[in-house]
């Protein structure tokens, strides 16, 4: 099983302990780990970059993944890894559905 870097155990700390943890600084800190995970899944460089940016825009920021973080249920790294894995599966399903049904309008909702 692929893993994120050990530094992803908790939400990344902010430079100032009193500053709030924002979605933007989490996205910036997590980019490298998300990209590395997607690259290790066999994607080429440009595809991995596109998927990483898509994940950050659609899931991390768009669906506000941080709001789903619950300290009682586990670590941030587990939540992030599951979300990336699910996102990659959704993209795969969408792409293959479009190939099976050419000419049919297939929405990419939540992907």
């Amino acid at each position: 099983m692929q893993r994120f870097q050990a530094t992803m155990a908790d939400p990344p700390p902010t430079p100032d302990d009193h500053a709030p943890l924002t979605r933007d600084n989490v996205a910036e800190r997590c980019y490298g780990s998300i990209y590395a995970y997607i690259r290790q899944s066999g994607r080429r460089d440009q595809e991995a970059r596109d998927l990483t940016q898509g994940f950050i825009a659609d899931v991390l920021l768009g669906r506000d993944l941080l709001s789903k973080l619950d300290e009682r249920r586990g670590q941030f790294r587990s939540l992030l890894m599951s979300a990336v894995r699910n996102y990659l599966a959704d993209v795969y399903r969408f792409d293959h559905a479009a190939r099976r049904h050419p000419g049919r309008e297939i929405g990419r909702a939540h992907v």
Side-chain angles (χ1 to χ4, degrees):
M1 177 192 284
Q2 299 167 351
R3 294 191 160 189
F4 282 124
Q5 298 172 2
T7 58
M8 292 302 301
D10 295 309
T14 58
D16 178 8
D17 288 87
H18 303 292
L21 188 63
T22 66
R23 295 181 313 163
D24 291 338
N25 62 16
V26 170
E28 189 176 312
R29 295 285 306 268
C30 294
Y31 182 91
S33 296
I34 295 167
Y35 170 77
Y37 179 79
I38 293 174
R39 277 289 282 161
Q40 289 176 352
S41 73
R43 297 340 194 266
R44 292 194 169 127
D45 179 56
Q46 189 57 49
E47 182 183 13
R49 289 180 191 276
D50 292 343
L51 288 169
T52 301
Q53 290 176 1
F55 173 80
I56 289 172
D58 296 344
V59 179
L60 193 64
L61 301 177
R63 295 184 212 164
D64 196 17
L65 188 65
L66 287 179
S67 68
K68 295 171 178 60
L69 182 60
D70 182 1
E71 291 181 16
R72 294 172 292 163
R73 295 189 64 206
Q75 295 181 334
F76 179 69
R77 178 176 59 193
S78 301
L79 175 67
L80 188 63
M81 184 182 237
S82 296
V84 172
R85 195 176 320 118
N86 292 339
Y87 179 77
L88 293 176
D90 288 346
V91 168
Y92 177 84
R93 282 192 293 269
F94 171 79
D95 290 344
H96 281 75
R99 290 181 194 156
R100 282 193 311 270
H101 306 289
R104 191 185 293 180
E105 185 70 25
I106 299 174
R108 198 170 185 172
H110 303 297
V111 174

